[in-house]
């Protein structure tokens, strides 16, 4: 390997190279601002490191790593009480409780690293791999042996860069797709979107809107988020704990910190029934892309008022009105997202276990780590 390439591992955002943000153009989720949010309000079981890649003294790449200690979680998810879930939990507790993610475990999409176009991508990945080895050593010296290392989330083109000897022992996998909603250039208003739906899905839209006509939607400011912090957290936790699988829970102050740092680039909408907060959703402006973030709701109201579906329609309306090109709806609730017009984009990653025998059986173990979800894709357009 050419000695001109090197890396630096940073433990705080204050240490980051002065040119760091020049590299974080592809996504806001590698910017100092966002890493600051993580530093001040990341999940309790997460430790972040920031990696700078250098050619001579020039910063040519940046990357994010997240260490997850799954032993600190009370629950991996409470929805599925079956034998397969029990096996998965056992596997995690005993063979995979220390996970090193190169990327962002809280988001969907390529938020792992950004590299200058002018450099040799494969060389850069070799250096990143060396940095990851060094990170593992650091954790080991503190008594935390890394069991599982994973690189996520890449599209079918991006994953090809990893076809180098350094990654030959990693198991390539494909997880649930990223649901992406592309906004038609011809749409200027929400009505344009509604007009493009087939009768069945126009009826679905009307039915959902009618159900929620007594619910008031409000844009919340920092002081509102602080005032409602307890309720917000309860609503978030209700949804998070009902997910089929969790590797982290946000801390209570997360939304407040996000709003403080991101200001109007972080949108927080509350849904109220008779002045009681019954649900919320959050959005992040990421260049021409709108990223959906965490949400929460009262389950009894959500069913009766079709609250989740209404939230999806609201996100679409806002993004069309503000001229965004696409919405990242991420994973989970694939079918309902598909019913509003989001399309699945296949995502790939690499995973490896520190134990050679376990690594050999990774294709089998992985089936327990990533539960398969059956769903039917919809096409709501004419």
């Amino acid at each position: 390997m050419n000695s001109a390439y090197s890396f630096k591992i940073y433990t705080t955002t204050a240490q980051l190279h002065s040119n760091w943000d020049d590299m974080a153009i592809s996504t806001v989720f590698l910017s100092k601002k966002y890493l600051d949010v993580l530093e001040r309000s990341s999940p309790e079981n997460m430790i972040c490191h920031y990696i700078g890649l250098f050619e001579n003294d020039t910063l040519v790449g940046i990357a994010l790593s997240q260490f997850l200690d799954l032993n600190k979680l009370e629950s991996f998810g409470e929805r599925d009480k079956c034998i397969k879930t029990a096996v998965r939990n056992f596997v995690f507790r005993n063979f995979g409780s220390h996970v090193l993610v190169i990327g962002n475990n809280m988001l969907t999409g390529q938020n792992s690293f950004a590299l200058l176009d002018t450099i040799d991508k494969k060389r850069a990945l070799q250096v990143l791999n060396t940095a990851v080895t060094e990170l593992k050593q650091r954790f080991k010296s503190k008594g935390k042996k890394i069991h599982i290392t994973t690189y996520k989330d890449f599209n079918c083109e991006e994953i090809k860069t990893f076809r180098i000897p350094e990654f030959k022992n990693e198991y390539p996998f494909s997880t649930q797709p990223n649901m992406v909603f592309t906004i038609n250039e011809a749409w200027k208003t929400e009505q344009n979107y509604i007009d493009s739906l087939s009768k069945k899905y126009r009826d679905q839209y009307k039915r959902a809107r009618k159900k929620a006509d007594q619910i008031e939607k409000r844009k919340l400011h920092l002081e509102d988020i602080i005032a409602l912090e307890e309720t917000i957290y309860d609503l978030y936790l209700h949804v998070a704990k009902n997910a089929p699988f969790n590797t982290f829970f946000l801390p209570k102050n997360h939304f407040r910190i996000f709003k403080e740092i991101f200001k109007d680039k972080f949108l927080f909408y509350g849904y109220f029934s008779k002045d009681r907060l019954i649900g919320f959703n959050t959005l992040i402006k990421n260049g021409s892309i709108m990223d959906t973030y965490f949400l929460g709701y009262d389950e009894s109201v959500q069913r009766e008022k079709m609250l989740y579906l209404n939230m999806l329609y609201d996100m679409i309306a806002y993004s069309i009105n503000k001229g965004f090109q696409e919405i990242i709806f991420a994973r989970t609730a694939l079918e309902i997202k598909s019913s509003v017009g989001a399309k699945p984009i296949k995502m790939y990653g690499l995973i490896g276990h520190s134990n050679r025998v376990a690594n050999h059986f990774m294709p089998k173990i992985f089936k327990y780590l990533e539960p398969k979800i059956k769903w039917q894709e919809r096409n709501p357009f004419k």
Side-chain angles (χ1 to χ4, degrees):
M1 194 185 292
N2 191 318
S3 59
Y5 276 82
S6 62
F7 65 85
K8 266 187 196 156
I9 297 171
Y10 306 98
T11 52
T12 70
T13 55
Q15 302 167 338
L16 295 182
H17 191 279
S18 55
N19 293 350
W20 185 277
D21 274 349
D22 298 342
M23 298 292 310
I25 295 159
S26 59
T27 172
V28 75
F29 298 117
L30 283 170
S31 68
K32 273 187 186 175
K33 218 172 173 180
Y34 173 74
L35 300 180
D36 228 14
V37 173
L38 279 188
E39 190 161 295
R40 289 173 57 192
S41 69
S42 69
E44 192 192 333
N45 68 327
M46 181 185 284
I47 299 169
C48 296
H49 285 89
Y50 323 106
I51 302 164
L53 306 177
F54 294 84
E55 186 173 15
N56 299 320
D57 293 330
T58 307
L59 184 72
V60 294
I62 57 175
L64 169 66
S65 83
Q66 294 178 335
F67 165 79
L68 291 160
D69 185 348
L70 301 185
N71 289 322
K72 288 188 176 177
L73 281 188
E74 289 168 38
S75 148
F76 288 132
E78 294 170 1
R79 197 186 73 188
D80 301 338
K81 298 273 194 286
C82 62
I83 189 78
K84 196 165 181 181
T85 308
V87 171
R88 187 177 72 217
N89 292 352
F90 175 81
V91 167
F92 257 118
R93 290 250 188 261
N94 295 281
F95 304 104
S97 57
H98 290 165
V99 181
L100 187 64
V101 179
I102 311 308
N104 196 322
N105 198 48
M106 300 159 70
L107 299 162
T108 305
Q110 208 293 67
N111 301 299
S112 312
F113 54 78
L115 307 170
L116 274 189
D117 288 339
T118 50
I119 62 163
D120 181 336
K121 300 277 190 294
K122 295 199 170 178
R123 273 283 271 303
L125 285 185
Q126 286 170 334
V127 182
L128 181 58
N129 182 57
T130 312
V132 170
T133 305
E134 160 74 20
L135 253 182
K136 287 183 194 171
Q137 281 304 117
R138 288 193 190 184
F139 278 110
K140 195 176 179 183
S141 70
K142 290 176 184 162
K144 291 180 191 295
K145 181 176 162 56
I146 302 293
H147 301 125
I148 288 172
T149 308
T150 180
Y151 291 74
K152 66 178 284 282
D153 282 317
F154 307 96
N155 65 29
C156 56
E157 280 308 305
E158 291 161 344
I159 196 72
K160 289 176 186 169
T161 324
F162 287 91
R163 288 180 187 162
I164 52 176
E166 282 77 3
F167 296 100
K168 73 176 191 303
N169 292 326
E170 312 290 294
Y171 170 64
F173 65 88
S174 177
T175 56
Q176 284 183 43
N178 185 6
M179 298 302 285
V180 177
F181 183 95
T182 305
I183 294 171
N184 188 318
E185 283 178 15
W187 299 341
K188 301 299 173 211
T189 63
E190 184 186 15
Q191 193 56 49
N192 297 149
Y193 161 71
I194 298 161
D195 293 343
S196 69
L197 298 170
S198 65
K199 184 180 182 311
K200 177 183 170 181
Y201 290 97
R202 254 198 331 276
D203 289 345
Q204 172 182 285
Y205 175 89
K206 286 176 194 160
R207 192 165 65 251
R209 290 315 208 191
K210 196 173 178 192
K211 288 257 190 189
D213 62 359
Q214 297 299 306
I215 288 175
E216 185 199 348
K217 179 186 166 202
R218 286 183 218 156
K219 189 176 191 172
L220 300 192
H221 302 287
L222 180 59
E223 56 274 23
D224 306 317
I225 295 168
I226 293 169
L228 290 162
E229 199 156 79
E230 292 293 331
T231 312
I232 288 167
Y233 198 65
D234 286 347
L235 294 169
Y236 153 72
L237 217 49
H238 168 76
V239 173
K241 284 192 167 174
N242 275 296
F245 186 57
N246 288 307
T247 51
F248 66 88
F249 292 104
L250 295 175
K252 200 172 284 185
N253 70 353
H254 187 77
F255 300 110
R256 164 206 299 228
I257 300 285
F258 217 126
K259 190 65 176 169
E260 263 175 34
I261 294 176
F262 267 69
K263 300 189 168 58
D264 65 347
K265 283 204 166 19
F266 177 68
L267 302 169
F268 194 110
Y269 288 100
Y271 290 76
F272 294 83
S273 174
K274 298 182 179 133
D275 263 355
R276 180 173 72 92
L277 183 69
I278 51 156
F280 74 88
N281 65 48
T282 52
L283 295 164
I284 301 160
K285 297 175 181 179
N286 190 2
S288 62
I289 295 165
M290 183 61 88
D291 268 273
T292 63
Y293 201 48
F294 292 93
L295 52 76
Y297 48 71
D298 177 324
E299 183 59 48
S300 59
V301 183
Q302 124 68 14
R303 282 176 184 276
E304 186 196 334
K305 304 292 185 186
M306 297 171 82
L307 192 57
Y308 184 69
L309 187 54
N310 275 294
M311 286 181 182
L312 295 179
Y313 288 135
D314 287 340
M315 292 171 186
I316 290 168
Y318 181 90
S319 303
I320 292 170
N321 290 338
K322 297 294 180 186
F324 284 85
Q325 289 172 7
E326 63 181 31
I327 308 167
I328 306 296
F329 276 131
R331 299 194 172 95
T332 71
L334 307 177
E335 202 157 317
I336 193 167
K337 287 170 181 172
S338 140
S339 83
V340 300
K343 291 269 175 242
I345 305 290
K346 243 186 149 161
M347 302 306 280
Y348 300 87
L350 296 171
I351 192 168
H353 200 289
S354 57
N355 179 304
R356 258 200 203 141
V357 177
N359 200 48
H360 179 71
F361 288 104
M362 190 49 90
K364 285 193 171 67
I365 294 170
F366 189 78
K367 287 174 188 157
Y368 287 103
L369 305 187
E370 180 70 30
K372 268 265 180 282
I373 288 189
K374 287 197 174 91
W375 67 288
Q376 193 178 346
E377 191 176 342
R378 311 282 179 188
N379 177 26
F381 299 113
K382 286 173 184 168

